[in-house]
Structures are given as C-alpha cells and as structure tokens.
C-alpha cells in the first residue's frame, strides 16, 4: 500500500513532543484558548511575515469569519473559482453572500483573471483566489486588476502552507488569508483547525471577537459572533509541525521533482506547472491522464492511494443548484475534473515508492 498521504509517519517524528505538550495542557486544564494557542498564532504569523494570526475552529470558519470581518454579507457577491474544494463556496454562503463562480486557467488550475474581470459588477464585494494544490494564485495581478475598486481580496490559503509568490506568503497582499489545518494539509492538526492571517490590526481584533461570541472580554458581546476557537491541544501539534514545515516542504519538492523526471517520458501524461515567481509546496501532485477513471481504479487495485481533487466542480454540486448553472458553463474546470489525478505525495515518501507508483501508472495507461 502506498497512501496518498502518510500522517502516521509524520506523527512518529513529533510523538514525544506532542505527548509532553498535551500532558501539560491537560494538567493545567488549559483547553480553551490556553497559552499554546497564542504562542502558535505568534509563531505562525511570524513564519508568514504577517502581523496577526487568529486561530479558529476550521478552514471553513476561517473563510467565513474573514469575509464577515471584511464586512461581506447579504446582498453581496463574492467571486470564487469553480475548481476548488466546496468549502470556499460554502463559506461565502454562510456569510450570507452569493458565490459568483468563474472558470480557471487550464495550465495552473487557478483562478483565471480575465474571467474575474468579466464578472466584476456593482454587487461584487470580494474575490477569493484559492491557492490550490500548493502554489499561490496571482494575487499581485488580481490586486492590480482591482485597483480603484472597493473589492477586497480574501485568500483561500488552505493548501499552501509555506508557499511563496515573489518571496511573499499568503496574506501579504490580500485583506485576509484564511487557512485550514485539516489533518492532511502540509501543516495539519489532529482534528479540525484553521486560522486567519492579516496585516491589519483592526481586522485581527474583529476576528478575535467573531471567533468568541462577538467579544474578547468575558460576558461582554458588543456584536454577534460564533464559537470557533483553535483548540489548545491542536495548537501544540501545529507548533511542533511548524518547526519542521520547511524541511517537510523541501522533501515534498524533492519528491515532486522525482515524479517530474520519472513521468517526463510517459506518453499521455500532462505534468503540473509552476507559475512564474512561485515557490510550490506540493500539497498535491496533480497530473492529467486519458481514461482517468479507469486509471484511478487500476491504481487503487494495486494499492496506490491516488486521489481526485476535485471530481465534481462546485457548480455541479446539488448544494449549489440554486445558482442555476449547468454542465458546460465552466468548460476548463469540467475538463480538469474529468482528467486530473493526484499521485501520492508527502514528506516521507521514498524514491522506491515513487518508482512503484509510476510503474503502476504506466501499466494502467498501457505504455
Ligand atoms: C481549498 C480549501 N478551502 C477550504 C477548506 C476548508 O477547510 P476545513 O476542512 O478546515 O474547513 C479546504 C480543506 O478542507 C480546502 O482545501
């Protein structure tokens, strides 16, 4: 078996530190907003070069609270790429706004800025570039496009821990960057977790209130809010993993390079591309193949944990039927959904395992 991601192998590296950290939290009963949460927030903010980090309950909450903190709500439209995990669009809906879907760039699978431009209108209050698969969407070019408007950029940074574009991490250009610590992410917790990064002190203060029933002071609630705080036990895990993130991302890059070398000569396979100025952290290694469903089945039969991110685009999900879209509306996204395939990648994958993945892929493709 070669899994898509091997979380047990990562745990082995930090098991002792996590055990000691968790024991300390339990002994102090510091479960809610214990010191470890603040310490992790500070460390993660500093790692990203962003002034503020607010830990919340999940990546979906991070997006919703980020939108709300920026004043996005009912009557507003938010531009979202059709190729993303559904949570991006759900968060917009949870904030009371309406997602406006746009197609993606065929090479990078990221938001297509030309299409964003076409969809800007009087009700659009925000755009969410999703930094999918481990590389940043062109936030700098998006900001340029939005110059002179009051449209805010909310970055979906769930899949790009450690990635940079022109030397800058997510959150450097947008109003906020919302991230997820879902276990399988490059920086993953042992349960749900998320965070919002922002350069703006005022937004950080609003976010701290929003995550804690609308107020930072006990029993004072100046505005409506939620219960969505990063768990102290998760902060312990995340802090230990953060110390290893760069090393683990370097191992992912080496693995990606190895796949690229091994797959370069395989007919029919389209390799992933890295945008100019981007440092990719290879959350996922996404290729395109002919007869994808047959190939995935063949890989699974051989014990290879291939995945599809994502098989059904947002506009074809029942939950978004009310947006009134039909098959054919976003052809680039739909073609990607039919042909993309994620190969196993994680910091501990070995060269031998990757060679076995590629050999199985060649058999599945009949090459
Ligand atoms: C691109 C993207 N956005 C949002 C989310 C939502 O994060 P969470 O599962 O922590 O709510 C995820 C991951 O699950 C994601 O991959």
């Amino acid at each position: 078996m070669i899994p898509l991601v091997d979380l047990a192998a990562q745990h082995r590296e930090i098991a002792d530190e996590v055990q000691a950290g968790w024991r300390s939290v339990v002994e102090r009963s510091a479960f809610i907003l214990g010191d470890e949460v603040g310490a992790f927030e500070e460390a993660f903010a500093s790692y990203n070069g962003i002034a503020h980090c607010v830990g919340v309950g999940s990546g979906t909450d991070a997006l919703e609270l980020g939108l709300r903190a920026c004043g996005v709500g009912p009557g507003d439209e938010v531009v979202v790429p059709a190729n993303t995990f559904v949570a991006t669009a759900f968060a917009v809906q949870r904030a009371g706004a309406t997602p406006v879907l746009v197609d993606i760039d065929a090479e990078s699978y990221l938001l297509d800025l030309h299409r964003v431009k076409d969809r800007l209108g009087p009700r659009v209050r925000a755009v969410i570039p999703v930094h999918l698969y481990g590389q940043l969407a062109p936030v700098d070019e998006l900001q340029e496009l939005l110059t002179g408007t009051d449209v805010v950029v909310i970055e979906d940074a769930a899949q790009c821990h450690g990635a940079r574009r022109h030397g800058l991490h997510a959150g450097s250009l947008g109003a906020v960057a919302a991230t997820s610590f879902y276990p399988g992410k490059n920086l993953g917790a042992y349960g749900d977790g998320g965070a919002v990064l922002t350069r703006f002190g005022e937004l950080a203060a609003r976010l701290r209130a929003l995550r804690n029933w609308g107020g930072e002071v006990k029993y004072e609630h100046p505005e409506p809010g939620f219960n969505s705080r990063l768990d102290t036990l998760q902060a312990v895990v995340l802090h230990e993993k953060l110390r290893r993130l760069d090393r683990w991302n370097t191992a992912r890059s080496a693995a990606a390079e190895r796949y690229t070398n091994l797959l370069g000569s395989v007919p029919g396979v389209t390799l992933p591309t890295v945008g100019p100025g981007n440092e990719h952290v290879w959350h996922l290694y996404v290729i395109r193949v002919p007869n994808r469903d047959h190939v995935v089945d063949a890989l699974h039969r051989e014990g290879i944990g291939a995945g599809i991110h994502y098989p059904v685009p947002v506009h074809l999900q029942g939950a978004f039927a009310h947006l009134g879209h039909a098959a054919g509306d976003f052809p680039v996204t739909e073609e990607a959904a039919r042909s993309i395939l994620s190969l196993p990648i994680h910091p501990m994958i070995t060269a031998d395992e990757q060679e076995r993945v590629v050999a199985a892929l060649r058999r599945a493709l009949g090459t």
Side-chain angles (χ1 to χ4, degrees), residues 58-60 63 84-85 87-88 130 132 156 158-159 180 182 185 193 310:
S58 71
T60 312
L63 282 163
T84 183
F85 182 56
T88 319
V130 182
L132 212 58
D156 183 334
Q159 300 192 3
S180 161
Y182 179 83
K185 302 295 192 228
Y310 295 92

Side-chain angles (χ1 to χ4, degrees), residues 251-264 285 349-355 358:
R252 283 176 184 272
S253 289
E257 204 178 315
R258 201 175 296 123
Y259 270 141
T260 298
N261 291 333
L262 290 168
L263 292 166
Y285 188 91
I349 196 165
T350 65
D352 175 61
E353 286 173 322
Q354 289 189 266
E355 280 161 22
V358 174

